[in-house]
Amino acid sequence: GDLKFIVPDTLTVASNGTLVSETAVPPPAVAKKQFRWVTNYQTSPYLFFFSATVYDRFEDTWNYTPLPPYDQTPIAMPLQFFVYPASNTAAFRNNWLRTKLMLTTFSDKFGPYGFCNEKYGIYQFVFGGGMEHQTFTGQGGGDPSEQFLTAHELGHQWWGDSVTCANWQD
């Protein structure tokens, strides 16, 4: 999917896949920018999303070598986090960065993360709970100590996103 969003230039857009461009929209648009996200993975319609708000962003890299019987070619995959400025503390960041250990644990148990050619990320939203979307998870509540929520939503990348229903009747 090729996903394009035009928003006021004060906002940031999180979405599925890889962010391939973030550009100012030329006149006559006033103070707007376009975000273009692209995913090359087949995606069930209910797993597409976008979130547009004021975010701080931080990134890291997950490095992993798959276990046999999988190809042992090392993986270096981007991790992207979109957090509200008020939540952007060292403790919050460090808790979300525990995702690296979770990715390794789940990949060792269930096989390599299925979307390594794009990314995994978490974006913050205002209501409690979480929702996985292919390559990105939304999490709310603002309590970074709730690692069970991070692990639960990440688990859906295998069970719900890589392995999913063929149609709504399923």
Side-chain angles (χ1 to χ4, degrees):
D2 192 344
L3 309 165
K4 296 177 184 174
F5 308 95
I6 296 176
V7 296
D9 67 359
T10 57
L11 302 183
T12 298
V13 176
S15 192
N16 305 83
T18 302
L19 179 62
V20 296
S21 65
E22 179 179 341
T23 57
V25 177
V30 177
K32 296 199 182 287
K33 59 184 170 179
Q34 177 177 283
F35 288 80
R36 181 174 174 227
W37 291 84
V38 173
T39 182
N40 292 310
Y41 290 106
Q42 185 174 3
T43 306
S44 185
Y46 80 96
L47 295 174
F48 281 105
F49 88 101
F50 74 94
S51 178
T53 193
V54 177
Y55 281 123
D56 287 346
R57 296 182 265 187
F58 65 99
E59 297 186 1
D60 205 333
T61 302
W62 175 58
N63 295 295
Y64 178 71
T65 301
L67 300 175
Y70 301 99
D71 177 1
Q72 278 88 59
T73 302
I75 295 167
M77 181 185 70
L79 298 175
Q80 298 176 340
F81 303 95
F82 290 57
V83 59
Y84 297 140
S87 300
N88 191 5
T89 65
F92 196 100
R93 286 174 176 243
N94 287 334
N95 276 309
W96 274 12
L97 286 169
R98 290 183 182 165
T99 302
K100 292 190 289 189
L101 177 59
M102 294 174 195
L103 277 161
T104 297
T105 300
F106 290 167
S107 291
D108 287 351
K109 296 283 184 191
F110 306 127
Y113 173 75
F115 310 106
C116 289
N117 291 330
E118 293 181 357
K119 62 124 174 16
Y120 181 68
I122 305 173
Y123 70 97
Q124 193 173 16
F125 53 55
V126 296
F127 49 92
M131 175 59 197
E132 89 286 350
H133 311 282
Q134 197 163 296
T135 72
F136 231 138
T137 292
Q139 289 185 200
D143 183 355
S145 65
E146 294 181 356
Q147 292 301 297
F148 68 89
L149 178 62
T150 301
H152 172 95
E153 296 305 331
L154 177 60
H156 281 302
Q157 297 297 316
W158 284 264
W159 311 110
D161 295 1
S162 289
V163 176
T164 194
C165 303
N167 57 53
W168 282 112
Q169 289 75 24
D170 291 339

